[in-house]
């Protein structure tokens, strides 16, 4: 596993030579924390972390004032786009339709531009105007202290939902929970067969058929697959003990979850939200709550920094059984 500075340096190798030479100069303490690198045509080059944007000048110095920043141009964007697509844009057509490309290391590059529609929906993105490079950091072990709250005896699992606003560490936490569930821990619980439905290629970070993130030895990955489709595919073909998905929300997701539960499969999922009450009132998944499907709720916020586990709530009594802990350290 790369340390955070080497990880940053490996990511910016995917940028055009001119921007790479600038971004390699930023101070090490900022390299350690960088979450996103933003390229917008005709706009200042910027990085972000901790909910703040920093603009980068020609010498790699950072400022909250954009006046002296490097201005990104069309050539920067197109040269970088060619690099991240390995000079074969057609090979990434399916990912581009979804608005991103996954690069080596499992990092995701979001794409902005002219969206082209066809008979089957989005067909392509042309006239690329912006790229958002999200650095996906693994933080191994962040779920260790909460496993006892979601493991039932030594061979069972509570259906668990992680509730989190954006950029509060839910994906990092979910990934590490999957790793631990899949591997098992000696003397505590056996490893489970996990089917990971990775719709946005963000959890496992698949690249050329190989997971770039550690999601465990007993995990099967359905990469770039709609959650509703992936859940059904896993039920039919992969015989999982647990299905893990990120960001449930649609009616089809809820229907597929019911199918999994009828098959005796447990569920590990996340959803966007700032509180349990807010999520319970979402019409698309309200029935999952009325039927008491989830037995544990893990609620994240930023009260003590990114990755604060605000509380774990029992799904039957709706009473907290675990209180605040912050240890994800700059995760996404």
């Amino acid at each position: 596993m790369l340390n955070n500075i080497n990880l940053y340096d490996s990511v910016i190798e995917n940028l055009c030579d001119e921007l790479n030479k600038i971004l390699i100069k930023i101070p090490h303490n900022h390299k350690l924390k960088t979450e996103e690198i933003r390229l917008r045509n005709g706009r200042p080059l910027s990085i972000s972390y901790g909910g703040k944007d920093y603009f980068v000048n020609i010498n790699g110095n950072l400022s909250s004032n954009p006046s002296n920043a490097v201005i990104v141009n069309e050539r920067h964007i197109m040269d970088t786009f060619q690099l991240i697509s390995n000079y074969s844009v057609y090979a990434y057509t399916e990912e581009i339709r979804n608005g991103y490309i996954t690069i080596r290391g499992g990092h995701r590059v979001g794409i902005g531009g002219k969206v082209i529609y066809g008979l089957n929906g989005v067909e392509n993105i042309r006239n690329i105007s912006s790229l958002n490079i999200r650095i996906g950091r693994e933080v191994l072990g962040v779920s260790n202290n909460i496993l006892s709250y979601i493991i039932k005896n030594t061979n069972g699992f509570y259906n668990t939902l992680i509730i989190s606003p954006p950029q509060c560490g839910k994906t990092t936490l979910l990934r590490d929970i999957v790793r631990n569930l899949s591997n098992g821990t000696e003397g505590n619980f056996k490893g489970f067969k996990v089917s990971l439905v990775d719709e946005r290629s963000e959890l496992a970070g698949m690249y050329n058929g190989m997971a770039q993130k550690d999601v465990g030895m007993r995990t099967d990955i359905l990469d770039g697959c709609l959650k509703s489709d992936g859940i059904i595919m896993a039920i039919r073909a992969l015989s999982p003990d647990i299905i893990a998905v990120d960001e449930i929300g649609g009616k089809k997701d809820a229907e597929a979850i019911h199918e999994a539960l009828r098959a005796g499969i447990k569920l590990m999922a996340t959803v966007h939200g700032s509180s349990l009450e807010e999520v319970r009132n979402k019409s698309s998944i309200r029935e999952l709550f009325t039927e008491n499907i989830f037995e544990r709720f893990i609620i994240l916020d930023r009260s003590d920094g990114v990755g604060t586990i605000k509380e774990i709530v029992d799904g039957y009594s709706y009473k907290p059984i675990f209180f605040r802990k912050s240890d994800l350290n700059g995760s996404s």
Side-chain angles (χ1 to χ4, degrees), residues 313-329:
V313 175
D314 177 75
Y316 300 106
S317 67
Y318 282 89
K319 293 181 179 179
I321 55 176
F322 176 93
F323 291 97
R324 181 164 295 147
K325 183 175 180 62
S326 178
D327 59 5
L328 298 193
N329 297 325

Side-chain angles (χ1 to χ4, degrees), residues 178-185 189-195 215-220 241:
V178 168
R179 179 186 64 84
N180 269 321
L181 293 175
S182 177
N183 289 341
T185 60
F189 66 95
K190 67 179 182 64
F192 297 95
K193 292 182 293 180
V194 181
S195 289
V215 291
M217 68 177 75
R218 297 180 181 87
T219 301
D220 299 300
D241 300 311

Side-chain angles (χ1 to χ4, degrees), residues 28-319:
H28 282 196
N29 62 314
H30 293 284
K31 290 182 180 182
L32 288 169
K33 302 174 184 176
T34 299
E35 298 169 5
E36 296 181 341
I37 302 169
R38 294 271 187 173
L39 280 60
R40 299 181 176 100
N41 192 12
R43 298 291 183 260
L45 175 64
S46 66
I47 68 166
S48 65
Y49 62 83
K52 295 182 180 180
D53 297 322
Y54 300 90
F55 301 100
V56 188
N57 72 11
I58 192 71
N59 297 313
N61 297 319
L62 305 181
S63 173
S64 58
N65 186 337
S67 59
N68 294 318
V70 172
I71 301 300
V72 175
N73 59 42
E74 182 179 3
R75 180 174 53 79
H76 292 144
I77 289 177
M78 293 315 300
D79 287 352
T80 298
F81 187 65
Q82 289 295 325
L83 280 170
I84 65 173
S85 61
N86 292 319
Y87 298 94
S88 179
V89 173
Y90 291 107
Y92 290 85
T93 299
E94 194 60 40
E95 283 190 273
I96 292 170
R97 285 175 183 161
N98 292 319
Y100 63 85
I101 289 177
T102 301
I103 58 177
R104 184 183 297 276
H107 314 287
R108 195 174 63 174
V109 182
I111 303 166
K114 174 67 174 177
V115 178
I116 307 299
Y117 282 89
L119 294 176
N120 298 314
V122 176
E123 288 191 347
N124 202 354
I125 301 178
R126 298 177 184 165
N127 303 328
I128 307 300
S129 58
S130 64
L131 298 171
N132 175 32
I133 298 93
R134 293 192 64 184
I135 299 178
R137 290 190 170 90
E138 286 185 287
V139 190
L140 301 181
V142 295
S143 67
N144 292 358
N145 293 331
I146 63 169
L147 288 177
S148 61
Y149 294 90
I150 59 177
I151 296 296
K152 189 184 301 184
N153 302 319
T154 58
N155 58 0
F157 176 75
Y158 293 106
N159 292 326
T160 301
L161 182 67
I162 299 172
I163 299 170
S164 171
Q167 298 289 297
C168 281
K170 67 176 177 51
T171 301
T172 299
L173 182 61
L174 175 60
R175 182 190 299 120
D176 197 62
I177 289 173
V178 168
R179 179 186 64 84
N180 269 321
L181 293 175
S182 177
N183 289 341
T185 60
E186 188 173 353
N188 292 320
F189 66 95
K190 67 179 182 64
F192 297 95
K193 292 182 293 180
V194 181
S195 289
L196 178 61
V197 184
D198 195 1
E199 183 172 334
R200 300 177 302 154
S201 304
E202 196 171 28
L203 289 161
M206 296 294 285
Y207 182 82
N208 290 342
M210 177 70 70
Q212 304 293 292
K213 310 297 184 186
D214 185 355
V215 291
M217 68 177 75
R218 297 180 181 87
T219 301
D220 299 300
I221 302 156
L222 291 166
D223 181 52
C225 182
L226 291 175
K227 289 180 283 290
S228 54
D229 292 338
I231 291 170
I232 300 302
M233 292 166 67
I235 295 168
R236 291 174 178 170
L238 297 174
S239 66
D241 300 311
I242 300 168
I243 293 176
V245 296
D246 202 8
E247 296 186 12
I248 61 171
K251 184 177 180 181
K252 288 185 177 180
D253 294 347
E255 292 171 352
I257 286 168
H258 278 104
E259 289 294 324
L261 296 173
R262 280 192 285 269
I265 298 166
K266 292 293 188 175
L267 182 72
M268 178 77 231
T270 75
V271 65
H272 275 307
S274 58
S275 68
L276 178 54
E277 190 62 31
E278 176 191 328
V279 172
R280 288 176 69 183
N281 288 323
K282 289 188 175 185
S283 58
S284 58
I285 57 172
R286 187 178 297 154
E287 63 183 288
L288 299 179
F289 289 86
T290 58
E291 296 172 13
N292 293 321
I293 284 172
F294 293 108
E295 302 163 288
R296 293 288 186 268
F297 300 100
I298 302 173
I299 302 167
L300 305 183
D301 66 11
R302 282 178 174 261
S303 55
D304 288 332
V306 173
T308 302
I309 300 173
K310 182 180 179 181
E311 59 186 1
I312 299 176
V313 175
D314 177 75
Y316 300 106
S317 67
Y318 282 89
K319 293 181 179 179

